[in-house]
Amino acid sequence: MGSSGEIIDRKQHDIAAAANAATYDEVLTRTCTELSPHIKHPTLKRLYENLIADLYQRAAENSSVPAVLDIGAGEGSVTLPFLEFGCRVTAVDLSTSQIAELEKKCSRYADRLETRCMDVTEFLETTAERFDLIVANSFLHHVPDYVGLVEKALMLLRPGGQFFSFQDPMRYDTLPPVTRIYSGAAYIGWRLFDGDVIRGIGRYIRRKRGVYLDDSPEDNTEFHATRNGVDQNAIAEMLRKQGFEVEIVPYFSTHSPFFQKLGETLNVADSFGIVARRTDR
Ligand SMILES: C[S@@+](CC[C@H](N)C(=O)[O-])C[C@H]1O[C@@H](n2cnc3c(N)ncnc32)[C@H](O)[C@@H]1O
């Protein structure tokens, strides 16, 4: 570890990783798919499915059995479609219950699936494998240094390889005020309906105090995701510097079906995907 900055980053990373391991327990694993906007809202599901079909087509130009790395794979919502396409997938996640669910869901394709229950950073730093496609779905907002993590991941891509991320909130302070207000209101509306207001206030107070207690469910929930969203432009800029063609795909995403429809009608965007391809093949 070179500098104090790196040490702080590593400490923040470890807190977020511990909070994620505690948050993604068996209970959350059971409800994950109901909670995921990109799975439950038909318009987002369609967008997402079209993007991954295109990614597969391109990967298949590189290799007859494309090798996919799914980072923060969770219970396998991206791993499964790539296995169905015929890819070989390595799925990495630090939650034992998420990985167990992924293995159950993908058991038909066990001969093309490898699972690794560990921190993604540790995997990226130690593996000798190389991939045609790296996917990070609803994952980057769980990592404090997400730009550094993506940069590390790119080193594992073969020439002509692709990077794909989806379902991350855009960096909040880059959103126009109207979008921020609408997005915040939609979230609060969903929380009120969900009956989670009191716990939400508890989480907010703890985070303001900068205290992380690893045996507190409120702290784990609060620390398991970044608070200012994910900087789509910083990731895109880093990818372009590394010689990638990059497309940012903006869209609106929230939990409540009512606010989702309204947001789409108002044409606001608060979430994004990134499709990037190495141009050196
Ligand atoms: C919102 S879920 C997304 C799961 C899946 N990719 C999907 O699209 O449904 C985020 C996942 O990231 C995992 N995770 C968070 N931080 C991690 C880390 N540092 N290393 C490995 N997995 C991590 C969590 O355990 C959780 O399963």
Side-chain angles (χ1 to χ4, degrees), residues 20 24 72-75 77 93-94 98 119-120 137-139 142:
N20 271 278
Y24 286 95
E75 33 60 63
S77 73
D93 199 290
L94 48 60
Q98 294 275 80
D119 191 308
V120 164
N137 197 59
S138 191
F139 170 60
H142 295 293

Side-chain angles (χ1 to χ4, degrees), residues 187-188 191-192 195-211 216-219 221-223 227:
Y187 182 74
I188 291 166
R191 277 288 175 217
L192 279 171
D196 191 35
V197 179
I198 302 297
R199 277 168 46 217
I201 293 169
R203 292 195 292 269
Y204 178 79
I205 292 168
R206 278 185 187 281
R207 190 160 185 123
K208 280 284 170 209
R209 287 167 54 214
V211 176
S216 153
E218 286 83 4
D219 282 6
T221 308
E222 189 62 23
F223 279 83
R227 285 297 111 179

